Amino acid sequence: MPEELDKLTNYSFKDSPDGAMAALQGAAAAREESFHGYIYAVAHGRFVLRRVMQILDEQPREQGLEPLQHQALLQIFGSDEALTVGKVAERLGIAAAFGSRLVGQLQKRGLVERKPHPSDRRASIITASSDGVELLRSIDREIYRKIRIFQESLSEDGKYSALLVFAAYVGIDGDAIAADRLHDSARWAKNFR
Protein backbone atom coordinates (compact mmCIF):
# COMPACT_ATOMS: atom_id res chain seq x y z
CA MET A 1 0.00 0.00 0.00
CA PRO A 2 1.47 3.41 -0.89
CA GLU A 3 2.59 5.46 2.11
CA GLU A 4 0.05 8.25 1.41
CA LEU A 5 -2.84 5.76 1.29
CA ASP A 6 -1.56 4.06 4.43
CA LYS A 7 -1.49 7.41 6.23
CA LEU A 8 -5.07 8.16 5.22
CA THR A 9 -6.34 4.65 5.94
CA ASN A 10 -4.81 4.67 9.42
CA TYR A 11 -5.82 8.28 10.01
CA SER A 12 -5.89 9.37 13.61
CA PHE A 13 -6.64 12.77 15.08
CA LYS A 14 -3.63 12.29 17.35
CA ASP A 15 -1.37 12.22 14.27
CA SER A 16 -3.16 15.01 12.42
CA PRO A 17 -2.15 18.65 12.14
CA ASP A 18 -3.06 21.02 14.95
CA GLY A 19 -6.74 21.72 14.96
CA ALA A 20 -7.94 18.49 13.32
CA MET A 21 -9.40 17.52 16.67
CA ALA A 22 -11.73 20.46 16.11
CA ALA A 23 -13.45 18.29 13.50
CA LEU A 24 -15.04 16.52 16.45
CA GLN A 25 -16.66 19.85 17.35
CA GLY A 26 -18.51 20.08 14.05
CA ALA A 27 -17.52 21.23 10.59
CA ALA A 28 -18.23 24.92 11.15
CA ALA A 29 -16.11 25.03 14.29
CA ALA A 30 -13.34 23.11 12.58
CA ARG A 31 -13.23 25.56 9.68
CA GLU A 32 -12.94 28.48 12.08
CA GLU A 33 -10.45 26.90 14.47
CA SER A 34 -8.04 25.40 11.96
CA PHE A 35 -8.64 25.47 8.25
CA HIS A 36 -5.73 23.09 7.69
CA GLY A 37 -7.12 20.63 10.25
CA TYR A 38 -10.54 20.91 8.67
CA ILE A 39 -9.13 20.26 5.17
CA TYR A 40 -7.18 17.30 6.58
CA ALA A 41 -10.50 15.83 7.80
CA VAL A 42 -12.22 16.67 4.48
CA ALA A 43 -9.41 14.95 2.57
CA HIS A 44 -9.88 11.82 4.64
CA GLY A 45 -13.65 11.98 4.22
CA ARG A 46 -13.25 12.30 0.46
CA PHE A 47 -10.79 9.39 0.46
CA VAL A 48 -13.37 7.22 2.22
CA LEU A 49 -16.17 8.40 -0.07
CA ARG A 50 -14.10 7.77 -3.20
CA ARG A 51 -13.12 4.27 -2.09
CA VAL A 52 -16.72 3.40 -1.21
CA MET A 53 -17.89 4.74 -4.60
CA GLN A 54 -15.26 2.61 -6.33
CA ILE A 55 -16.60 -0.47 -4.56
CA LEU A 56 -20.19 0.53 -5.41
CA ASP A 57 -19.25 0.85 -9.10
CA GLU A 58 -16.95 -2.18 -9.36
CA GLN A 59 -19.33 -4.79 -7.99
CA PRO A 60 -22.21 -4.24 -10.46
CA ARG A 61 -19.69 -4.41 -13.31
CA GLU A 62 -18.44 -7.75 -12.01
CA GLN A 63 -22.02 -9.00 -12.30
CA GLY A 64 -22.66 -7.57 -15.76
CA LEU A 65 -24.33 -4.23 -14.97
CA GLU A 66 -22.99 -0.78 -15.62
CA PRO A 67 -23.11 1.44 -12.51
CA LEU A 68 -25.93 3.61 -13.92
CA GLN A 69 -27.97 0.51 -14.76
CA HIS A 70 -27.46 -0.62 -11.18
CA GLN A 71 -28.51 2.79 -9.90
CA ALA A 72 -31.64 2.67 -12.06
CA LEU A 73 -32.53 -0.79 -10.76
CA LEU A 74 -31.96 0.39 -7.18
CA GLN A 75 -34.25 3.39 -7.74
CA ILE A 76 -36.94 1.27 -9.37
CA PHE A 77 -36.99 -1.37 -6.65
CA GLY A 78 -36.26 0.96 -3.74
CA SER A 79 -38.79 3.67 -4.49
CA ASP A 80 -41.76 4.13 -2.20
CA GLU A 81 -43.86 5.15 -5.19
CA ALA A 82 -44.56 3.70 -8.63
CA LEU A 83 -41.98 5.03 -11.07
CA THR A 84 -42.41 5.92 -14.70
CA VAL A 85 -39.45 6.15 -17.04
CA GLY A 86 -39.52 9.92 -16.54
CA LYS A 87 -39.33 9.53 -12.76
CA VAL A 88 -36.45 7.07 -13.06
CA ALA A 89 -34.59 9.58 -15.23
CA GLU A 90 -35.38 12.38 -12.77
CA ARG A 91 -34.08 10.39 -9.80
CA LEU A 92 -30.85 9.64 -11.70
CA GLY A 93 -30.46 13.20 -12.96
CA ILE A 94 -30.40 12.16 -16.62
CA ALA A 95 -32.42 13.08 -19.72
CA ALA A 96 -35.73 11.26 -20.19
CA ALA A 97 -34.59 9.80 -23.53
CA PHE A 98 -31.49 8.33 -21.89
CA GLY A 99 -33.66 7.05 -19.03
CA SER A 100 -35.87 5.30 -21.56
CA ARG A 101 -32.87 3.58 -23.16
CA LEU A 102 -31.57 2.59 -19.73
CA VAL A 103 -34.91 1.07 -18.70
CA GLY A 104 -35.06 -0.67 -22.10
CA GLN A 105 -31.65 -2.26 -21.48
CA LEU A 106 -32.81 -3.52 -18.09
CA GLN A 107 -36.05 -4.81 -19.58
CA LYS A 108 -34.18 -6.63 -22.35
CA ARG A 109 -32.17 -8.46 -19.66
CA GLY A 110 -35.36 -9.37 -17.80
CA LEU A 111 -34.49 -7.23 -14.77
CA VAL A 112 -37.50 -4.88 -14.97
CA GLU A 113 -41.04 -5.02 -16.29
CA ARG A 114 -43.24 -2.34 -17.78
CA LYS A 115 -46.90 -2.20 -16.79
CA PRO A 116 -49.53 0.17 -18.14
CA HIS A 117 -49.95 3.32 -16.08
CA PRO A 118 -53.43 3.30 -14.51
CA SER A 119 -54.28 6.88 -15.49
CA ASP A 120 -51.84 7.92 -18.24
CA ARG A 121 -51.95 5.88 -21.44
CA ARG A 122 -48.67 7.41 -22.63
CA ALA A 123 -46.70 6.21 -19.60
CA SER A 124 -45.68 2.87 -18.12
CA ILE A 125 -44.98 1.89 -14.55
CA ILE A 126 -41.56 0.27 -14.18
CA THR A 127 -41.11 -2.49 -11.61
CA ALA A 128 -38.19 -4.75 -10.77
CA SER A 129 -38.62 -8.38 -11.82
CA SER A 130 -37.77 -11.24 -9.49
CA ASP A 131 -34.50 -11.68 -11.44
CA GLY A 132 -33.78 -7.97 -10.95
CA VAL A 133 -34.37 -8.22 -7.20
CA GLU A 134 -32.16 -11.32 -6.98
CA LEU A 135 -29.37 -9.53 -8.85
CA LEU A 136 -29.69 -6.58 -6.45
CA ARG A 137 -29.36 -9.01 -3.51
CA SER A 138 -26.27 -10.61 -5.01
CA ILE A 139 -24.62 -7.26 -5.72
CA ASP A 140 -25.54 -5.97 -2.26
CA ARG A 141 -23.98 -8.99 -0.51
CA GLU A 142 -20.69 -8.51 -2.35
CA ILE A 143 -20.66 -4.74 -1.86
CA TYR A 144 -21.02 -5.08 1.88
CA ARG A 145 -18.46 -7.88 2.07
CA LYS A 146 -15.93 -5.61 0.34
CA ILE A 147 -16.96 -2.56 2.36
CA ARG A 148 -16.51 -4.49 5.62
CA ILE A 149 -12.97 -5.33 4.54
CA PHE A 150 -12.35 -1.65 3.78
CA GLN A 151 -13.90 -0.60 7.11
CA GLU A 152 -11.45 -2.80 8.99
CA SER A 153 -8.60 -0.75 7.52
CA LEU A 154 -9.95 2.50 8.99
CA SER A 155 -9.16 3.75 12.47
CA GLU A 156 -12.06 4.75 14.71
CA ASP A 157 -10.96 8.39 14.47
CA GLY A 158 -10.87 8.07 10.69
CA LYS A 159 -14.41 6.68 10.64
CA TYR A 160 -15.68 9.60 12.74
CA SER A 161 -13.78 12.10 10.65
CA ALA A 162 -15.46 10.78 7.48
CA LEU A 163 -18.84 10.71 9.22
CA LEU A 164 -18.53 14.33 10.31
CA VAL A 165 -17.60 15.44 6.80
CA PHE A 166 -20.56 13.56 5.32
CA ALA A 167 -22.83 15.01 8.01
CA ALA A 168 -21.75 18.52 7.04
CA TYR A 169 -22.46 17.78 3.35
CA VAL A 170 -26.06 16.78 4.10
CA GLY A 171 -26.67 19.48 6.73
CA ILE A 172 -26.49 17.43 9.92
CA ASP A 173 -24.82 19.10 12.89
CA GLY A 174 -21.55 17.35 13.65
CA ASP A 175 -21.75 18.48 17.29
CA ALA A 176 -24.45 15.87 17.96
CA ILE A 177 -22.28 13.14 16.44
CA ALA A 178 -19.28 14.32 18.47
CA ALA A 179 -21.38 14.36 21.66
CA ASP A 180 -22.48 10.78 21.00
CA ARG A 181 -18.87 9.79 20.40
CA LEU A 182 -17.64 11.45 23.56
CA HIS A 183 -20.51 9.89 25.52
CA ASP A 184 -19.67 6.44 24.12
CA SER A 185 -15.97 6.95 24.92
CA ALA A 186 -16.76 7.97 28.50
CA ARG A 187 -19.05 4.96 28.93
CA TRP A 188 -16.38 2.64 27.49
CA ALA A 189 -13.69 4.09 29.77
CA LYS A 190 -15.98 3.73 32.81
CA ASN A 191 -16.66 0.07 32.02
CA PHE A 192 -12.96 -0.82 31.86
CA ARG A 193 -11.60 0.99 34.92
Side-chain angles (χ1 to χ4, degrees):
M1 184 180 298
E3 187 176 317
E4 297 80 22
L5 181 60
D6 189 45
K7 283 180 186 176
L8 284 174
T9 303
N10 297 307
Y11 174 89
S12 171
F13 287 118
K14 293 181 249 32
D15 302 328
S16 64
D18 291 339
M21 190 66 173
L24 286 176
Q25 301 167 353
R31 278 194 309 272
E32 295 302 318
E33 194 165 319
S34 170
F35 186 68
H36 186 248
Y38 164 73
I39 293 299
Y40 190 85
V42 168
H44 182 70
R46 294 277 182 97
F47 160 74
V48 170
L49 182 60
R50 181 152 174 74
R51 184 63 194 120
V52 167
M53 293 306 297
Q54 287 171 335
I55 291 168
L56 294 177
D57 286 349
E58 288 167 359
Q59 191 51 49
R61 281 190 179 111
E62 289 179 15
Q63 297 201 31
L65 277 184
E66 286 302 313
L68 198 54
Q69 291 173 324
H70 179 237
Q71 287 298 314
L73 191 55
L74 281 170
Q75 293 302 320
I76 292 164
F77 183 65
S79 178
D80 59 356
E81 64 179 316
L83 295 183
T84 62
V85 170
K87 279 284 191 188
V88 172
E90 182 182 312
R91 291 176 73 108
L92 295 174
I94 60 175
F98 185 54
S100 181
R101 276 193 308 244
L102 196 58
V103 168
Q105 292 166 352
L106 294 172
Q107 185 179 16
K108 187 174 180 179
R109 290 194 52 190
L111 302 175
V112 300
E113 300 167 350
R114 290 180 193 244
K115 298 178 182 174
H117 192 284
S119 61
D120 184 351
R121 298 171 91 177
R122 300 167 298 161
S124 299
I125 300 296
I126 312 302
T127 59
S129 68
S130 59
D131 286 347
V133 173
E134 189 51 42
L135 183 58
L136 283 176
R137 283 184 207 279
S138 177
I139 291 169
D140 186 66
R141 278 191 298 267
E142 280 303 303
I143 284 172
Y144 281 96
R145 185 184 68 76
K146 289 180 179 183
I147 285 183
R148 278 193 301 276
I149 292 167
F150 174 63
Q151 288 169 344
E152 290 172 5
S153 72
L154 297 171
S155 70
E156 286 302 308
D157 285 340
K159 290 175 187 178
Y160 278 99
S161 171
L163 180 60
L164 290 169
V165 170
F166 302 149
Y169 288 160
V170 297
I172 296 173
D173 183 8
D175 292 339
I177 295 169
D180 285 346
R181 168 118 194 260
L182 294 173
H183 177 72
D184 287 345
S185 296
R187 185 172 56 233
W188 181 85
K190 184 178 176 184
N191 289 337
F192 291 95
R193 282 187 188 171

